Amino acid sequence: FSRCGHVIVFGDHGNRDLLPVRAYQLTKREVTLLGYLDLDNDKDSYLGSVNEFVPFKYFVYRFQKYYLHPESESFKPVYYDPELRFDDLRTMKQGIEPELVTSKQIVHDKCEINVPLKSIPALLLDEVLHPFFVFQLFSCALWFWDGYRMYAAAILIISVFSATISLYETRTNLINVRKMAH
């Protein structure tokens, strides 16, 4: 696996996906601090200075990152371990070192939530194509044709007003959720 450029992943439903293997160069110290290499138990090929660079190889499958473990030579899922020992907390009075922050962002990715913001015409189309609104339009057309023009006009005005309010609320909620995510 050390020289692979792609990985074939066999899914649960018989599907196969060809995924690229990406690599970053991290120091042995960074990889050890992140918990992905144990300098006491590693292979001879990983012995040497803690400042030597080692490849951190990974691929992403269904939003889960898998890294190449150097000892077992197999891909394992990347997990974030939120538990810190008390001794670790005392040493972090000044915060995490910048190089470790960068390494954590490489390994775990940035903590981002991208909330898609639909355009107003797309939201309006979603609202107009809602089954209840289609039923209302069909009913109004039938009532106009049957001679109930005032009743049909009242229902049509109320439906357009309701769709406009719903569009405004949906758009406002999407904007607020997007602001909270950033």
Side-chain angles (χ1 to χ4, degrees):
F1 283 118
S2 61
R3 292 184 289 165
C4 67
H6 289 80
V7 173
I8 297 175
V9 177
F10 295 93
D12 296 338
H13 304 289
N15 58 325
R16 295 182 197 116
D17 294 315
L18 180 66
L19 303 169
V21 176
R22 298 184 178 104
Y24 283 104
Q25 294 294 324
L26 299 176
T27 65
K28 286 184 186 179
R29 179 177 177 275
E30 291 171 324
V31 176
T32 303
L33 287 172
L34 291 170
Y36 297 108
L37 182 64
D38 185 5
L39 287 180
D40 297 331
N41 297 325
D42 62 358
K43 289 185 171 182
D44 293 337
S45 61
Y46 285 93
L47 293 176
S49 170
V50 293
N51 292 324
E52 286 181 29
F53 285 97
V54 293
F56 180 81
K57 292 191 166 204
Y58 71 95
F59 69 91
V60 179
Y61 178 65
R62 294 188 179 177
F63 304 106
Q64 173 69 48
K65 192 180 274 190
Y66 297 86
Y67 74 99
L68 180 61
H69 192 271
E71 294 172 8
S72 64
E73 293 203 5
S74 63
F75 285 97
K76 296 186 176 186
V78 172
Y79 292 114
Y80 179 73
D81 184 15
E83 295 183 25
L84 291 173
R85 295 187 314 260
F86 184 70
D87 294 336
D88 293 338
L89 289 174
R90 283 192 292 170
T91 61
M92 292 186 185
K93 289 180 184 175
Q94 305 303 325
I96 299 176
E97 300 169 15
E99 82 177 19
L100 188 57
V101 170
T102 304
S103 302
K104 281 185 177 280
Q105 286 178 343
I106 289 171
V107 173
H108 299 287
D109 288 332
K110 291 185 178 182
C111 183
E112 292 181 332
I113 300 174
N114 293 323
V115 178
L117 186 62
K118 287 185 176 181
S119 65
I120 292 177
L123 287 172
L124 185 61
L125 188 62
D126 286 347
E127 188 68 32
V128 168
L129 293 180
H130 192 273
F132 180 73
F133 196 71
V134 171
F135 172 75
Q136 288 284 64
L137 290 177
F138 179 73
S139 297
C140 286
L142 185 63
W143 290 325
F144 267 118
W145 186 43
D146 228 10
Y148 296 104
R149 286 173 175 64
M150 292 299 284
Y151 181 71
I155 296 297
L156 188 64
I157 289 170
I158 291 170
S159 294
V160 168
F161 184 71
S162 172
T164 304
I165 289 174
S166 177
L167 175 73
Y168 174 77
E169 287 177 349
T170 303
R171 178 77 176 183
T172 304
N173 289 340
L174 284 174
I175 290 171
N176 288 339
V177 168
R178 191 175 179 132
K179 284 180 185 176
M180 283 191 303
H182 290 286

